[in-house]
Amino acid sequence: MNLIDTHAHLYLEEFGPDIDGVLKRGADAGVERFYLPAIDSSEHERMLALEAAFPGKCLAMMGLHPCYVKENVEEELALVESWLAKRPFAAVGEIGLDFYWDRSFEAQQYDAFRRQVRLAKQYQLPIVIHSRNSTQECIELVKEEQDGHLTGVFHCFSGSYELAKEVIKTGFYLGIGGVVTYKNAGLPAVLARLGLDNLVLETDAPYLTPVPFRGKRNESSYLTYVVDKLAGIFQVPAEEVARKTTANARTLFKSTYP
């Protein structure tokens, strides 16, 4: 079966010693592509080096993660703009809002999010949204900016059925990863009411590792555990989950396919 990991930070130092093995295990599990969301300028060099080392397999995005919107936000956004003007990227991401840890830069987060959404529209790229403790707020901004051409995914979706329906109405996908395997997660019940039409798979590696590896470093090969969980939720073969979510991911990242 063919899978796509739509969100994996495989360039981080957690993977330095054995990235070749990580990618091989992913490929052996059926993962055909690995999409790399940006964080901030401190990681650009490693992210782009990984993409260069595995052309056509690892594909970089460009953007400023909301947790890294700080005093130097203008400098960081200028770099994002510069990179997008220089060369193609798979998406603008990960971008969005994060109100979990600290809201000191809330106004700057909103401004950075909106400006990067407009860059995505300018370059006709999808966006990858980080929306921790801010899903409704992110939905509202997307609605404001939706011009009929804006596409993307709400990464690591774990909200209610009502929020999921709002996301889908905006024309966006739901990114589903290891959280769906957690014992107390309410996500399976939400997804059971939705179907596979608007889902894409992700790991967020090295984070959010699925059961039975929770607490350990996540990697793309573990997508198979997410697939198996979804197959149980929807009562369909794992191959059907893989077929549909991979088709959705190819549509989402269509500019990276011939």
Side-chain angles (χ1 to χ4, degrees), residues 101-115:
W101 294 113
D102 180 13
R103 299 183 76 150
S104 301
F105 292 91
E106 180 175 337
Q108 293 89 338
Q109 283 192 36
Y110 268 108
D111 181 60
F113 185 19
R114 191 178 300 276
R115 286 161 65 180

Side-chain angles (χ1 to χ4, degrees), residues 1-255:
M1 77 186 155
N2 293 324
L3 303 171
I4 294 175
D5 190 346
T6 65
H7 197 112
H9 299 278
L10 299 178
Y11 53 86
L12 294 180
E13 61 183 7
E14 286 90 338
F15 298 102
D18 66 335
I19 187 59
D20 290 343
V22 167
L23 292 171
K24 183 180 186 306
R25 288 191 293 275
D28 290 346
V31 183
E32 63 179 45
R33 285 194 173 184
F34 310 81
Y35 285 89
L36 313 176
I39 295 174
D40 70 354
S41 61
S42 68
E43 301 292 351
H44 288 170
E45 183 177 351
R46 286 198 295 192
M47 179 181 69
L48 295 174
L50 182 60
E51 182 189 57
F54 297 93
K57 294 293 183 183
C58 293
L59 296 102
M61 307 178 198
M62 181 49 60
L64 177 61
H65 190 296
C67 288
Y68 295 83
V69 172
K70 304 294 183 184
E71 292 88 350
N72 66 338
V73 61
E74 290 301 329
E75 178 184 337
E76 289 287 338
L77 288 176
L79 287 169
V80 169
E81 289 190 44
S82 174
W83 274 114
L84 288 169
K86 281 181 191 174
R87 48 147 288 177
F89 284 92
V92 175
E94 71 187 89
I95 64 175
L97 304 170
D98 190 303
F99 298 153
Y100 181 75
W101 294 113
D102 180 13
R103 299 183 76 150
S104 301
F105 292 91
E106 180 175 337
Q108 293 89 338
Q109 283 192 36
Y110 268 108
D111 181 60
F113 185 19
R114 191 178 300 276
R115 286 161 65 180
Q116 290 180 98
V117 168
R118 291 177 179 176
L119 284 170
K121 291 195 288 188
Q122 177 183 338
Y123 289 100
Q124 299 181 325
L125 292 173
I127 60 174
V128 174
I129 297 178
H130 175 107
S131 59
R132 186 164 52 172
N133 283 33
S134 60
T135 303
Q136 186 66 61
E137 292 87 344
C138 288
I139 291 170
E140 293 306 318
L141 191 145
V142 167
K143 286 179 179 178
E144 291 170 13
E145 293 292 333
Q146 183 57 270
D147 60 357
H149 301 289
L150 185 61
T151 64
V153 55
F154 275 68
H155 149 62
C156 192
F157 181 82
S158 58
S160 66
Y161 173 75
E162 290 73 23
L163 283 176
K165 291 296 287 184
E166 283 199 65
V167 168
I168 291 167
K169 283 180 182 177
T170 67
F172 277 55
Y173 291 95
L174 306 172
I176 306 299
V179 172
V180 75
T181 70
Y182 297 169
K183 183 177 180 181
N184 295 322
L187 191 54
V190 171
L191 297 181
R193 300 174 66 185
L194 296 173
L196 285 163
D197 288 345
N198 303 96
L199 308 186
V200 295
L201 303 181
E202 60 174 52
T203 57
D204 200 23
Y207 314 112
L208 298 177
T209 314
V211 173
F213 302 107
R214 193 173 182 185
K216 299 180 180 179
R217 183 191 72 179
N218 201 2
E219 61 177 71
S220 297
S221 63
Y222 296 164
L223 272 186
T224 55
Y225 293 90
V226 177
V227 169
D228 288 343
K229 181 67 176 182
L230 291 173
I233 291 169
F234 296 118
Q235 294 296 293
V236 298
E239 290 76 12
E240 175 62 14
V241 174
R243 185 193 68 78
K244 186 60 180 174
T245 56
T246 295
N248 292 343
R250 288 174 178 166
T251 299
L252 175 62
F253 295 112
K254 60 186 177 183
S255 68

